[in-house]
Amino acid sequence: MSQGEIFIVVLITAIILVSAALIIAMLISPRSTNEQKGEPYECGIPTRGTSWMQFKVGYYLFAILFLMFDVETVLLFPWAVIMKSLGAVGLCSVLFFLFILVLGLAYAWKKGALEWK
């Protein structure tokens, strides 16, 4: 089989599996037509005022920093698995990667992004 044929087979298989999962879920899922299902739910406490309130930008910055270091961990794992075969070039490239991340962390720390107020 050529690569194009393999791609078509994988694409058709993916479409069939996703469609089958959606159809099975629609068939066996419980149905309830209750009026309360359409109302907003916030931990059982009735809402006061509008739901559109602003959050401090520090929360978003903290979340982005968390994601950045989480992705760093995901990117370092494959490197650690094949570290011996990469040699000095691989070591230098990952040290450069870590250096950039440490600079970003130092910048965020200096700006006070890691302080929870």
Side-chain angles (χ1 to χ4, degrees):
M1 289 183 104
S2 70
Q3 287 185 352
E5 292 171 339
I6 292 173
F7 175 75
I8 297 295
V9 169
V10 169
L11 185 65
I12 291 172
T13 305
I15 290 171
I16 290 172
L17 288 175
V18 169
S19 300
L22 288 173
I23 290 169
I24 291 171
M26 282 186 349
L27 291 175
I28 66 173
S29 66
R31 289 176 185 78
S32 173
T33 55
N34 191 348
E35 196 175 298
Q36 289 181 338
K37 284 183 77 174
E39 295 181 11
Y41 178 75
E42 294 185 17
C43 303
I45 301 170
T47 57
R48 283 183 258 153
T50 179
S51 299
W52 295 98
M53 55 186 275
Q54 291 183 347
F55 291 100
K56 290 177 14 181
V57 73
Y59 298 138
Y60 298 110
L61 188 59
F62 200 83
I64 288 172
L65 286 171
F66 173 77
L67 285 175
M68 181 180 76
F69 287 104
D70 192 37
V71 169
E72 169 204 357
T73 304
V74 170
L75 292 176
L76 283 178
F77 182 73
W79 172 82
V81 172
I82 61 167
M83 182 178 71
K84 287 185 180 179
S85 65
L86 292 177
V89 174
L91 179 64
C92 289
S93 63
V94 83
L95 286 177
F96 180 71
F97 177 71
L98 288 173
F99 177 72
I100 297 287
L101 285 172
V102 168
L103 280 179
L105 178 64
Y107 178 77
W109 198 340
K110 181 181 176 190
K111 289 291 184 177
L114 300 177
E115 295 178 13
W116 200 262
K117 294 179 186 178

